[in-house]
Amino acid sequence: MTKILVSFLIGLLFGTGIVISGMANPAKILNFFDIAGTWDPSLAFVMGGALVVTAIGYRLVLARKHPLLAEGFSLPTRRDLDARLLGGAAVFGIGWGIAGFCPGGGIPALGLGRSEPIIFFVAMLAGMLAVKLLETMRSRTASAT
C-alpha cells in the first residue's frame, strides 16, 4: 500500500509540474516545433530543468544500495539501437508533433476538462493495443515455423 501511495504522490507532483509549466497545453508544444513561425522556447527550459533535476536525483539515488521501497534497482541493460526502438521513437515524435501531447503532458491534461486529451488518450491506448496484438501475432508466427 505504501508503494501505491508514494507512486500516486510522485505522479501527482509530476502532473502538477506539467500543468503549472504549461506543458499540458498542446498549443505551447506545437509552438515549440514551429521554429519559423510562433516559436516558443519554454519547452526547452522545462526539459533543461528536468535534466538537471534528473542528473542530481540519479547520482543521489544510485549511491544507495537499494531504493527505499524496493529490494533492487530496475535499470535498463541494453544499449543498442534496433529498428523497434527507432521506429517507436519516430512514431512517438510524429504523434507528439501532430497532437501536441506526449503521455507526460496528455495524461495530466485529462483533468482539465477538454476533449483533446481524451482523444489523445484513447488513440494512445489503441496504439499500445495494436502493438501488443502485432507482437503476439509475430511471436505466434515465429513459433509456428
Side-chain angles (χ1 to χ4, degrees):
M1 185 64 175
T2 302
K3 281 176 139 177
I4 293 171
L5 180 61
V6 170
S7 297
F8 173 78
L9 292 174
I10 291 169
L12 185 64
L13 178 64
F14 175 80
T16 302
I18 290 291
V19 171
I20 289 172
S21 68
M23 297 303 120
N25 178 359
K28 198 162 190 62
I29 304 304
L30 295 173
N31 284 337
F32 174 75
F33 292 125
D34 189 7
I35 297 170
T38 57
W39 187 59
D40 179 357
S42 59
L43 175 59
F45 292 109
V46 171
M47 286 180 160
L51 285 172
V52 169
V53 170
T54 300
I56 293 168
Y58 264 83
R59 288 183 95 31
L60 294 174
V61 169
L62 293 178
R64 305 177 55 90
K65 291 183 181 179
H66 61 82
L68 292 175
L69 300 175
E71 293 187 23
F73 292 103
S74 297
L75 299 172
T77 56
R78 288 185 58 177
R79 299 204 182 270
D80 60 318
L81 300 176
D82 61 0
R84 186 170 178 238
L85 176 66
L86 295 173
V91 169
F92 176 89
I94 291 167
W96 194 25
I98 290 171
F101 285 119
C102 73
I107 293 173
L110 288 170
L112 300 177
R114 298 191 321 249
S115 62
E116 298 92 344
I118 295 169
I119 294 167
F120 164 79
F121 188 72
V122 170
M124 180 182 73
L125 290 179
M128 292 166 67
L129 179 62
V131 167
K132 186 71 173 163
L133 289 172
L134 287 172
E135 286 180 347
T136 301
M137 288 171 37
R138 190 173 75 189
S139 68
R140 284 183 185 161
T141 304
S143 64
T145 56

